[in-house]
Amino acid sequence: VVNGGIQRCADWFRRRWEECMQAIPVPVINHILCVSMKFHFLCDIMRVMTPWCRDQIPVEGNFGQLFDQLNVSVNQLSREFSTEVVLQQEEQSVLDGVLLNQTFTQVIKESFLNLTRTMGQVMNILQLLLSFTFITVFIQAFQYLCSYRRNISFDNVYITSYFRRIDDRRRRAGRRFLLPLRKSEKNKFIAPLSLKIYPEELKQVLSGGFQVLSILLLTIVLLTVDFALVHVLDIISRHTFTQFNVT
């Protein structure tokens, strides 16, 4: 072990000498600067460990003979010893005293696969319909633009901050202004910053609320189905035992 360490130390010095010579290509100077990489004789200091190992790590005199005998015994055992393992697995599922055979498991698996295929087909149809929604968006946008350009009253019911600044500027200039609104006009025009739901916005609010309720109902149904499946499978797993016979 000590000799191996000395050899590795000497190899380290040799590699560092080669790397130093490559890093400094100038002749003579590279030998002067890299001379410390020639001090591989310092590795011999590790030989002081030899007497310590001899004194502190004693080995019994018959260790070699004992090792040889043990090695021969292991070789003979490996040649004359053989084994054969026969594994038999038996699974039985009992639910309320009724034995659940392989048919029950197969029926559950087939039902789940059929449901998965059906849901996959439904999702493909929905994905196909969603891929054509851009046509509806384009048509609605085109209709909105045409109505907005032809009818000055179309969707022109918002009292924005920009409109208020224009109206205030006209008031200071002594020109005709519109604000403040009369009581009968307040229900016809919409303030974007107000939390009040105006009749014109009620349809969109109801539509958005219906969508939220639909998603909430669908989520509740999915969670209920998921809980029911997990509960049924948990009951089956708790009433199933597996027996192993190893020979």
Side-chain angles (χ1 to χ4, degrees):
V1 173
V2 173
N3 291 334
I6 295 174
Q7 183 61 39
R8 286 193 295 270
C9 179
D11 294 339
W12 182 87
F13 274 100
R14 177 179 54 79
R15 291 193 301 269
R16 293 298 178 268
W17 167 264
E18 295 176 356
E19 294 175 359
C20 184
M21 295 297 289
Q22 294 177 359
I24 307 175
V26 182
V28 181
I29 296 178
N30 54 4
H31 285 75
I32 296 175
L33 297 179
C34 300
V35 67
S36 59
M37 301 304 164
K38 285 292 187 179
F39 294 169
H40 54 82
F41 57 86
L42 296 176
C43 299
D44 294 333
I45 196 173
M46 301 173 75
R47 297 187 183 278
V48 299
M49 293 293 298
T50 303
W52 182 88
C53 292
R54 185 181 299 110
D55 297 335
Q56 300 297 329
I57 311 178
V59 179
E60 296 294 337
N62 61 344
F63 176 77
Q65 182 180 2
L66 178 63
F67 181 80
D68 291 339
Q69 293 178 356
L70 182 61
N71 192 23
V72 172
S73 300
V74 171
N75 291 333
Q76 292 178 355
L77 181 64
S78 63
R79 290 195 304 267
E80 299 177 0
F81 180 79
S82 62
T83 180
E84 181 181 357
V85 179
V86 179
L87 177 63
Q88 179 182 0
Q89 179 180 352
E90 179 181 359
E91 294 185 1
Q92 291 183 353
S93 301
V94 180
L95 183 60
D96 294 337
V98 180
L99 186 64
L100 300 181
N101 53 13
Q102 188 67 23
T103 306
F104 180 79
T105 306
Q106 189 66 24
V107 169
I108 293 180
K109 184 184 298 184
E110 292 178 357
S111 301
F112 181 76
L113 292 178
N114 293 332
L115 180 60
T116 303
R117 285 193 294 266
T118 304
M119 292 300 297
Q121 294 175 358
V122 173
M123 292 301 298
N124 292 334
I125 295 175
L126 292 178
Q127 190 69 27
L128 182 62
L129 294 178
L130 288 176
S131 62
F132 289 100
T133 53
F134 73 94
I135 300 178
T136 306
V137 174
F138 178 79
I139 294 175
Q140 292 180 355
F142 183 76
Q143 292 176 352
Y144 180 89
L145 179 61
C146 294
S147 300
Y148 187 82
R149 297 185 62 180
R150 295 176 182 176
N151 185 5
I152 191 173
S153 300
F154 177 75
D155 204 21
N156 191 16
V157 293
Y158 297 97
I159 308 299
T160 62
S161 58
Y162 180 68
F163 180 82
R164 294 180 184 274
R165 289 197 299 268
I166 294 177
D167 192 77
D168 185 62
R169 189 187 310 159
R170 294 176 63 88
R171 181 188 293 108
R172 291 196 303 268
R175 302 172 63 183
R176 185 179 179 182
F177 58 92
L178 301 177
L179 298 178
L181 298 175
R182 298 184 182 91
K183 186 176 181 180
S184 60
E185 295 174 336
K186 290 183 178 180
N187 294 328
K188 298 180 181 180
F189 296 92
I190 300 174
L193 299 180
S194 177
L195 298 178
K196 179 182 177 181
I197 299 178
Y198 293 86
E200 290 79 2
E201 298 176 323
L202 184 59
K203 181 179 179 181
Q204 298 180 359
V205 172
L206 293 178
S207 176
F210 178 75
Q211 294 179 5
V212 172
L213 291 177
S214 301
I215 295 175
L216 180 61
L217 180 61
L218 178 61
T219 303
I220 294 175
V221 171
L222 292 178
L223 290 177
T224 305
V225 173
D226 180 80
F227 176 78
L229 288 176
V230 171
H231 186 64
V232 171
L233 295 177
D234 180 66
I235 293 176
I236 295 176
S237 64
R238 284 189 287 108
H239 292 80
T240 300
F241 65 90
T242 302
Q243 179 179 357
F244 292 93
N245 295 326
V246 181
T247 304

